[in-house]
Amino acid sequence: MKESNMPRADFVTSMILIAFGISVLVLSLQMPRFEEHDVNPYSVPGIVPGFLGAVIAFLGVVLLIRSILQKGYRLGISGGTVKDFFSSEVTKRFALTIAISVIYALVLLGRISYPIATGVYIFAFIFIFEYEWKKSFSDQLKKVLMALVISVIFSAAVTGVFRYLFLVNLPG
């Protein structure tokens, strides 16, 4: 991205961060507080997400002010800029990342065991973004095997950390 486009990008990003931060804050306030169980108010489930949501919203406001001072509100949106945005490689990779993550969260998690779902997710992510589709499979066998090894190692590590260090009951 060109340096001259940064104030506009900051302006749009700040709007997204403010909306996200406020949403997280509101949802965390709706979480149970367990007041009837005499739970310490600083240990309720919504305290950390609420704090993080407030910080994200605040920093979004800081970014908004900075972008306004740099005249980032002049978006200059036209048919050409919209076409360029949706046809750019960055946008395609971002959309693919979102799609892979949504498939992981909505399709894999809960239907198959957590370590396998996470391993498949990691492998798919590495394979899709590292594989060179114009080359033959045999020329890239090393990449595929490395993706497999990395996905197994990191799936086991993430599962172990959540299960034994954080004591989280994992799905599946």
Side-chain angles (χ1 to χ4, degrees), residues 28-44:
S28 69
L29 290 173
Q30 295 173 353
M31 292 178 81
R33 294 191 183 97
F34 303 115
E35 293 161 335
E36 65 278 2
H37 298 294
D38 293 325
V39 172
N40 182 332
Y42 296 112
S43 66
V44 297

Side-chain angles (χ1 to χ4, degrees), residues 122-141:
I122 294 169
F123 177 79
F125 203 93
I126 294 171
F127 182 81
I128 289 170
F129 287 108
E130 291 295 323
Y131 192 81
E132 297 175 46
W133 298 97
K134 294 179 181 170
K135 290 185 176 179
S136 70
F137 182 80
S138 60
D139 290 342
Q140 300 183 81
L141 188 58

Side-chain angles (χ1 to χ4, degrees), residues 17 26 39 76 78 101 126 140 157:
L17 289 174
V26 168
V39 172
S78 67
S101 299
I126 294 171
Q140 300 183 81

